[in-house]
Amino acid sequence: HYALNGHWEKALIFAGTCKYPDKDVILYTNQALYFTGTVYDDLFLYNQSLGSEGLLSTDITNYSGIVPNQDVFLHLGAISLSIIWGTEATNVYGANPYVLKNLVKAYLAGGYIIEADKILNQLGHTPFQQKWVKQYRAFVNDTALINSDAELFTYKRAQAPIAVVSTQNTLMNLFLLMKDSKANRMSYDYLLTASLLDHKIAYFASYLTGLKDYGYTSIPKIYFEGLVYNSLYSPQSPVNIRDYSFDPDIMHRFDAFRQDLRKALRDPENAPKVLEDTYKDTYWYYLLFRSSLPDDEKLDILNRLTM
């Protein structure tokens, strides 16, 4: 309820109390983290057991995720997918006003004016939506007004110049969304974050080189944690850190984590609990103790961290 209405701070309060979040809860939690600007610091304080699927659901058989998919794809500039999922949602759930409103926004942002008008006619049959319909019909009657509406212009400007295929994997979808447009920073952030969550560290290092293109002058916490972790795989940094501001304590914390991990492994069963209070918000703790990575991959990570 809070996420659907854009009350992101309240959504996070409830997300923090949810012991067994499903896919939709994780999806909305990550949106709330992004739109409150706390994703860079607090991502790993919330359940991320689904990896990149907790950022962007692409499973076409997951009907519980239809409406959230419509939302997140609209934010990410995937107008075609937002329309596909919104249309599918109406087929499954019926004429839900929330879904129909998002369809109107997607059609207007994508330049599909006739289709937007049809949905407005459908919404206009109920007296509860008359004010909203009147507001958005103005964009149908004068498309130049779309550029003066902050939300619609953001969607229009950020849209990918391709039709993204929803059955592709999450990383490929996000790469396609950001590769031809520097206007959609959210797709770039989601791509970097998805690479970290799925432990695609080589991809992360490659994508990190685009920081300047997306206006970064400072390296956020989660990206810098990924950068120092990347040193276990490559002695050469993908970016010149002197070109950015960053928190140097993260490097010291990484060294401390490795030392404390070696000590904690004297009692392997209790190691997660021993380290949790100090490191639960870090990428490295997530990789070893909260991710759903295969055991052999976690063992390789452990060996690298403790060598």
Side-chain angles (χ1 to χ4, degrees):
H1 167 77
Y2 288 122
L4 288 176
N5 288 281
H7 301 314
W8 302 114
E9 291 85 359
K10 289 185 178 179
L12 285 179
I13 291 173
F14 282 92
T17 63
C18 185
K19 292 184 178 180
Y20 306 105
D22 62 15
K23 197 168 192 175
D24 290 351
V25 169
I26 294 176
L27 194 76
Y28 278 128
T29 298
N30 286 329
Q31 285 187 55
L33 285 167
Y34 190 82
F35 289 117
T36 56
T38 56
V39 65
Y40 307 109
D41 296 320
D42 297 343
L43 179 71
F44 300 115
L45 294 178
Y46 295 84
N47 189 308
Q48 300 297 339
S49 59
L50 295 178
S52 65
E53 282 296 302
L55 290 170
L56 180 64
S57 177
T58 55
D59 184 354
I60 60 174
T61 64
N62 178 30
Y63 289 104
S64 68
I66 286 175
V67 175
N69 283 345
Q70 181 199 24
D71 285 349
V72 73
F73 282 128
L74 185 58
H75 292 308
L76 289 168
I79 299 297
S80 59
L81 283 185
S82 183
I83 290 171
I84 289 170
W85 285 105
T87 303
E88 184 67 17
T90 61
N91 292 336
V92 175
Y93 299 131
N96 183 307
Y98 180 82
V99 176
L100 294 178
K101 287 179 179 180
N102 274 340
L103 274 174
V104 170
K105 293 176 183 178
Y107 280 135
L108 289 171
Y112 308 107
I113 306 305
I114 295 175
E115 289 80 0
D117 192 36
K118 289 179 180 178
I119 302 298
L120 285 169
N121 289 336
Q122 191 174 354
L123 275 167
H125 290 309
T126 169
F128 303 109
Q129 305 300 331
Q130 293 300 318
K131 183 178 179 180
W132 195 93
V133 169
K134 182 179 179 180
Q135 177 186 352
Y136 280 83
R137 194 174 296 284
F139 299 117
V140 170
N141 296 332
D142 184 358
T143 56
L145 294 175
I146 292 174
N147 292 335
S148 64
D149 182 86
E151 183 182 21
L152 291 179
F153 182 68
T154 297
Y155 296 148
K156 177 182 177 181
R157 185 168 172 263
Q159 68 177 308
I162 53 174
V164 185
V165 180
S166 65
T167 53
Q168 290 177 314
N169 64 46
T170 301
L171 288 175
M172 180 56 71
N173 260 329
L174 289 167
F175 174 75
L176 290 173
L177 286 170
M178 57 73 66
K179 75 180 187 72
D180 291 322
S181 173
K182 299 299 183 289
N184 192 343
R185 182 158 153 172
M186 183 177 180
S187 64
Y188 177 68
D189 283 329
Y190 263 43
L191 179 63
L192 282 176
T193 305
S195 302
L196 288 175
L197 289 171
D198 289 354
H199 193 232
K200 304 297 184 184
I201 199 66
Y203 288 124
F204 168 77
S206 174
Y207 300 143
L208 197 67
T209 59
L211 281 174
K212 280 190 176 179
D213 292 334
Y214 284 88
Y216 279 98
T217 57
S218 177
I219 305 178
K221 172 181 173 287
I222 57 170
Y223 299 161
F224 201 70
E225 286 182 346
L227 181 62
V228 296
Y229 173 77
N230 179 65
S231 65
L232 301 179
Y233 293 81
S234 173
Q236 188 171 359
S237 174
V239 297
N240 186 346
I241 62 173
R242 288 177 294 182
D243 292 340
Y244 305 89
S245 61
F246 56 88
D247 183 359
D249 286 342
I250 293 174
M251 291 186 285
H252 303 316
R253 201 176 183 203
F254 181 58
D255 292 335
F257 174 77
R258 297 181 70 186
Q259 292 177 20
D260 290 345
L261 176 62
R262 295 186 191 101
K263 295 176 184 176
L265 287 176
R266 296 169 187 167
D267 183 4
E269 197 169 307
N270 289 319
K273 189 173 182 179
V274 169
L275 296 167
E276 183 178 20
D277 285 346
T278 306
Y279 300 107
K280 64 184 176 182
D281 65 324
T282 67
Y283 178 52
W284 325 301
Y285 186 89
Y286 158 81
L287 285 177
L288 286 178
F289 304 118
R290 286 186 171 164
S291 71
S292 297
L293 296 171
D295 289 342
D296 58 340
E297 193 168 350
K298 285 188 176 183
L299 181 59
D300 178 67
I301 294 168
L302 181 65
N303 289 335
R304 289 176 183 271
L305 284 167
T306 55
M307 67 181 180

